[in-house]
Amino acid sequence: MSTVQASHLLIKHQGSRRPASWKDETGEQIRKRTKEDARAILLKHREEIMGSPNPAKKFGELARVHSDCSSARDNGDLGPFGRGQMQKQFEDAAFALKVGEISDVVDSDSGLHIILRTA
């Protein structure tokens, strides 16, 4: 497979390479958030997604509101991408998922993610 398509929900923390987002342009809140706090937030979102009758829909709803990535406006959709286009940890996790699967928490330089493979 040369490309995959995925959505993600990113929670940044004080160790993120760019500790600011569309929700927190100055990074004031992100700089206060520990990696452990970010992990707890993501695990709560993942639990809500997995308990939903329509996990993909719930994923998009939560990503739109809570993700620190600008892809939030598209329910977390990153579009199709190939090898070498994303950070390695993120890319490896996305390519390892089957279509419709949701990852555990993935740690990258950008922050912590959960990923939904969509194609």
Side-chain angles (χ1 to χ4, degrees), residues 96-114:
L97 294 169
K98 294 179 181 138
V99 174
E101 274 188 323
I102 297 172
S103 72
D104 289 324
V105 175
V106 176
D107 191 347
S108 79
D109 292 343
S110 295
L112 300 180
H113 316 252
I114 50 175

